[in-house]
Amino acid sequence: MESITFLVCQMLRQLFQTKKQARLFANINVRGISNQLCSKLCLLGGGQMAEAILNAITKKGVQEMKNVNVYDISKDRLNYLKEKYGITPCSDPSVASKEAEIIIIAVKPQNVSTLAHSLVELNSEAPTGLVLSIVAGLTLSEITKQFRTNCIIRSMPNTPSMVLEGITVWTATTETPPELLEKARKLLATFGEQIEVADESYLDMATAISGSGPAYIFLTMEAMIDAAVHMGFPRETAKKLVLSTIRGSASYAQRSSEAIPTLKNNVTSPGGTTASALYQLERGGFRTVVADAIWAAYRKALELGGNDSNVGPGRSRGKQ
C-alpha cells in the first residue's frame, strides 16, 4: 500500500512540474471528464477585462484553455495571453469566432463598429453562438443591428474581477435559450458576483455605480494615502493603513445587519475626531460631488448608447 502511495505522489509531482500542466490538471474533474463551460469560447478583444475573464476561468478550471480563442489587433498582446494562459491567438475575428458557442465582445466602444464590419459585413456571416457584450453603452438593439443576431447578453463587469472580486450586472434578450443563459451565469460567476436584471436601463446605471466605481474608490484611497504621508507616515505604511481600513469597512458593512448610516454614526463620538472630519467633508459638499460624479458617468453611458442623456438633478427628464 505504501509503495502505491509513493508512486501516486511521484506521478503528481511530475504532473505539476509546469504551469501549463497544472492548468490542464485543473480542468479535469474527479471523474476524469473534461469540465467544459462550452465547446468553444471566443473573446474579441484582449484588454484588461478580457484578461480578467481568462484569469478567472483558468483559476476556476471551468474551460479548457485550448478551446479559448482570442482576437486582438496587437500581436504582442496575443503572444502575452498565449504564453500566460495557453489560449489560441487569432488575428482575424471571423476565424476566432467560428463555431464558438459563446462570443465575448471586449473591445472599446469606439471600435465596435469596425469589429462588427470585419466580422459580419466582410464575411457575410453572422455569429452562430451567444454574443455576450462587456462594452459600456452598447445596447441590445445596437448589438442586434450590428452583429445580426438575437441571442445576446449585455453585461457590465468591473475591474476587481481581476482578483475574482468583481460584480457584473447583466440582461439578456428573450430569444436567448435557457441553456445558454445558464452557461453565461456560470461564466460571469467565475470572477465575482453576478446580478441579472430584466430592465436593460439598469445597465447604464450599473456602469456609473459598479463599472466606474472602482476608480472613485481608488481616488479616495489616493487622497487618504497622500494625507497620511503629509502627516509623516512612510508611504508603504500609509498605503497599508488605508487599504486595510477600506477593505475592513466594506467587509464589516457586508456582514453587519445595521444600515450604513448607523455604522457611520457608531464611529462618530460627539465632539470627537471623526465628527470633525465629517463636518469638513459635508461642508465641502462631499455627498454632492460624489452624486454629481455618478450622474456624469450615467449620462456618458447613455450618450455612448445613443440615448437621451438629459437626466439628473436639475435636468428636464431627471430624477429629483
Side-chain angles (χ1 to χ4, degrees):
M1 185 65 180
E2 290 181 354
S3 61
I4 294 175
T5 303
F6 175 80
L7 288 172
V8 171
C9 290
Q10 288 292 95
M11 291 172 63
L12 288 174
R13 288 193 188 99
Q14 292 177 5
L15 185 63
F16 283 96
Q17 281 179 351
T18 69
K19 290 182 180 180
K20 184 175 181 181
Q21 289 170 324
R23 286 198 300 268
L24 290 173
F25 183 82
N27 286 325
I28 306 297
N29 65 22
V30 293
R31 292 188 178 92
I33 301 173
S34 180
N35 187 23
Q36 285 269 73
L37 174 70
C38 61
S39 57
K40 183 172 287 186
L41 178 66
C42 165
L43 285 90
L44 299 178
Q48 189 174 37
M49 283 308 307
E51 184 172 1
I53 295 171
L54 293 174
N55 177 61
I57 62 178
T58 300
K59 288 186 175 180
K60 294 295 181 71
V62 298
Q63 179 76 13
E64 289 189 17
M65 301 310 288
K66 67 180 182 180
N67 293 326
V68 178
N69 293 350
V70 179
Y71 158 78
D72 197 85
I73 58 173
S74 170
K75 290 185 178 179
D76 289 341
R77 183 64 177 173
L78 287 176
N79 289 334
Y80 162 78
L81 294 175
K82 179 184 178 181
E83 178 67 25
K84 187 170 182 178
Y85 299 103
I87 55 91
T88 300
C90 300
S91 57
D92 186 334
S94 60
V95 173
S97 60
K98 188 176 182 180
E99 298 180 354
E101 193 173 357
I102 299 177
I103 301 167
I104 301 176
I105 305 175
V107 296
K108 299 292 185 184
Q110 61 268 28
N111 296 330
V112 171
S113 295
T114 302
L115 174 66
H117 179 71
S118 60
L119 186 64
V120 180
E121 298 292 341
L122 296 182
N123 294 281
S124 301
E125 186 175 315
T128 57
L130 169 68
V131 172
L132 193 160
S133 168
I134 62 171
V135 181
L138 186 60
T139 63
L140 292 175
S141 61
E142 191 62 26
I143 298 170
T144 300
K145 176 183 175 183
Q146 294 205 45
F147 292 88
R148 298 179 185 175
T149 181
N150 292 315
C151 187
I152 306 166
I153 284 178
R154 178 187 173 189
S155 69
M156 177 45 59
N158 61 8
T159 55
S161 300
M162 289 292 294
V163 291
L164 312 185
E165 291 286 349
I167 187 163
T168 304
V169 179
W170 63 282
T171 191
T173 56
T174 55
E175 293 87 351
T176 305
E179 61 271 18
L180 286 179
L181 289 176
E182 187 54 38
K183 289 187 177 187
R185 196 174 286 113
K186 183 178 179 181
L187 171 63
L188 297 175
T190 59
F191 44 89
E193 296 184 58
Q194 52 85 27
I195 300 175
E196 182 182 3
V197 294
D199 188 342
E200 186 183 1
S201 65
Y202 284 119
L203 268 294
D204 292 318
M205 299 178 196
T207 300
I209 299 294
S210 55
S212 300
Y216 317 153
I217 305 302
F218 295 144
L219 179 61
T220 301
M221 289 178 180
E222 185 181 7
M224 292 178 68
I225 291 170
D226 287 346
V229 171
H230 193 193
M231 288 177 186
F233 275 111
R235 185 163 291 275
E236 280 305 309
T237 302
K239 180 180 177 182
K240 185 173 183 179
L241 285 171
V242 172
L243 266 60
S244 293
T245 298
I246 291 177
R247 181 179 63 247
S249 299
S251 181
Y252 182 25
Q254 282 187 319
R255 299 180 187 185
S256 176
S257 59
E258 301 283 3
I260 299 296
T262 301
L263 295 178
K264 181 202 69 179
N265 293 339
N266 289 344
V267 188
T268 312
S269 301
T273 58
T274 306
S276 297
L278 293 178
Y279 173 76
Q280 288 297 328
L281 288 171
E282 298 287 9
R283 189 165 178 260
F286 180 76
R287 291 174 189 267
T288 302
V289 170
V290 171
D292 285 348
I294 291 172
W295 277 104
Y298 177 42
R299 286 191 287 271
K300 185 62 177 180
L302 290 171
E303 290 172 8
L304 288 173
N307 296 312
D308 180 13
S309 63
N310 191 31
V311 298
R315 308 271 177 147
S316 61
R317 196 168 69 87
K319 298 178 181 179
Q320 305 301 322

